[in-house]
Amino acid sequence: DQGYAVDRTGRDQVTVLFMGTLCIRKNAQGVLRAWARLKPRNARLLMCGPIEEWLAQVCPDELALPSVEARGRVSNVAAAYAEADVFIMPSFEEGGPQVTFEAATFGLPLIASPMGDGGMAQKTDAIWPIDPYDIDSMAAALERFIADADLRAEYGARAFKAAPGFDWNVVGARRLEALRSALVV
């Protein structure tokens, strides 16, 4: 898969995307709290995925901000990625952040925690790393990407270039080879 080319130039508003279950373990509350500190005028936070009851109880004011759209479960995830300008995944816990790899195939700049980056930060320069426990640094990263179209373009190109290395077929072949190498005596 070569990914999807999306023209993001000329947009009046920057859309930051969080994709996945809006829950505590994925740190949706961290994104919402960072967003509330920013109060951006030229940006919106698009959150796609079912909202966990705990999150709704912890962040009702943040979810009600006019610049936050909690869309719920979406049937056309490709349209949500194409609509976005920046992707954020500040997760505390992940089995494998498929949404981060999907965002990369759309050429989205990636802001992610170590768990949310799926190993991309160790193998590429495609991730803007964040500490999921540090709301101030998360807000600073969001502010920087919202304000800087060149930075968004640079990191989006990095992510798009790195994406094919995280395709299931590529990852599976590497793991198979590693297993074969480990079993050869």
Side-chain angles (χ1 to χ4, degrees):
D1 189 331
Q2 295 301 310
Y4 305 89
V6 176
D7 182 7
R8 294 183 169 86
T9 58
R11 294 184 179 181
D12 293 334
Q13 185 178 54
V14 175
T15 297
V16 176
L17 176 65
F18 176 98
M19 178 76 75
T21 303
L22 280 64
C23 63
I24 303 299
R25 71 182 183 83
K26 291 190 182 286
N27 199 16
Q29 72 281 2
V31 173
L32 286 163
R33 289 175 179 153
W35 194 262
R37 288 184 188 180
L38 290 178
K39 298 178 178 65
R41 290 186 208 126
N42 65 330
R44 72 182 176 122
L45 175 61
L46 174 59
M47 302 185 90
C48 295
I51 301 173
E52 186 178 72
E53 184 178 330
W54 284 105
L55 182 70
Q57 291 175 8
V58 169
C59 294
D61 295 336
E62 293 89 344
L63 283 164
L65 290 170
S67 61
V68 173
E69 180 184 347
R71 200 173 274 177
R73 189 179 305 274
V74 294
S75 58
N76 187 349
V77 295
Y81 287 118
E83 189 177 338
D85 301 288
V86 178
F87 181 79
I88 187 163
M89 180 46 64
S91 192
F92 295 125
E93 170 190 331
E94 286 292 331
Q98 185 63 32
V99 293
T100 302
F101 306 138
E102 290 172 356
T105 68
F106 280 87
L108 285 169
L110 307 170
I111 301 170
S113 66
M115 293 303 292
D117 77 21
M120 286 183 89
Q122 293 125 352
K123 297 177 182 142
T124 73
D125 63 351
I127 299 286
W128 186 277
I130 54 168
D131 177 349
Y133 296 97
D134 186 345
I135 302 300
D136 289 332
S137 72
M138 199 180 314
L142 287 167
E143 185 173 47
R144 188 163 184 183
F145 276 87
I146 289 167
D148 192 337
D150 291 337
L151 184 67
R152 291 193 305 272
E154 177 188 338
Y155 271 82
R158 290 179 185 190
F160 189 76
K161 182 180 176 188
F166 293 86
D167 182 85
W168 284 114
N169 293 327
V170 174
V171 171
R174 276 196 311 254
R175 291 205 176 147
L176 177 60
E177 187 54 39
L179 287 170
R180 282 186 178 150
S181 296
L183 295 174
V184 173
V185 284

